[in-house]
Amino acid sequence: MDAKAPKALLKAQKLANLLDTAVKLPLIPIRIGLDSIIGLIPGAGDALMLFVSLRIVWLGKSLGMPKALVAQMVKNSAIDFGLGFVPFIGDIVDVFYKANQKNVRIMERWWISENKANVDAATQAKLAQWESENP
């Protein structure tokens, strides 16, 4: 009974956090990441961030995700890339449109749906263990 998330999913989660939410802005409740910061470099910054974003898509594909979900992830990355080309407004929107986080959520939902029985069994086992240790 293996209910642990695969390494590819864990890597994607870490990368998405780095790209989209690694830095908390002072005084306002908004988190940004490297995508928003490096995306300020006209053209090259957005192209570099697209390349890194596609790494998350590749990790999803390596897990065996269906083509439709992989295509949805590519679409999210492409939208993020396209927004970056709109001067100033694109940089502001990029702070709020967190394509990498969206893509990881797609991966997580798919993985959980594929492994629901194992996750449920592991949860029940942990709950039973906790209940026996805490009467």
Side-chain angles (χ1 to χ4, degrees):
M1 168 177 59
D2 186 21
K4 294 185 185 217
K7 287 182 182 179
L9 178 55
L10 297 174
K11 283 181 186 179
Q13 289 169 330
K14 286 180 183 177
L15 188 54
N17 288 334
L18 178 66
L19 294 175
D20 289 345
T21 59
V23 179
K24 184 189 180 314
L25 296 177
L27 306 175
I28 53 176
I30 297 174
R31 296 186 72 85
I32 63 170
L34 291 180
D35 188 26
S36 298
I37 297 167
I38 295 175
L40 292 172
I41 302 168
D46 293 310
L48 176 61
M49 289 298 95
L50 174 64
F51 178 74
V52 178
S53 182
L54 290 175
R55 169 80 172 139
I56 292 173
V57 175
W58 182 85
L59 287 167
K61 187 173 170 38
S62 75
L63 289 174
M65 290 180 65
K67 288 182 182 180
L69 292 179
V70 172
Q72 186 178 356
M73 292 170 66
V74 169
K75 178 181 162 189
N76 288 338
S77 296
I79 289 170
D80 187 44
F81 176 69
L83 289 171
F85 280 102
V86 179
F88 186 65
I89 302 296
D91 295 321
I92 293 172
V93 172
D94 193 41
V95 169
F96 299 99
Y97 186 80
K98 302 197 179 299
N100 301 301
Q101 292 286 322
K102 289 176 191 284
N103 287 344
V104 166
R105 297 301 168 259
I106 291 168
M107 290 173 68
E108 290 168 341
R109 282 191 300 270
W110 171 80
W111 187 83
I112 288 291
S113 71
E114 292 292 304
N115 295 279
K116 185 169 181 359
N118 288 341
V119 171
D120 288 349
T123 302
Q124 290 301 319
K126 288 285 187 186
L127 179 60
Q129 177 186 357
W130 181 82
E131 287 175 336
S132 70
E133 293 171 358
N134 299 288

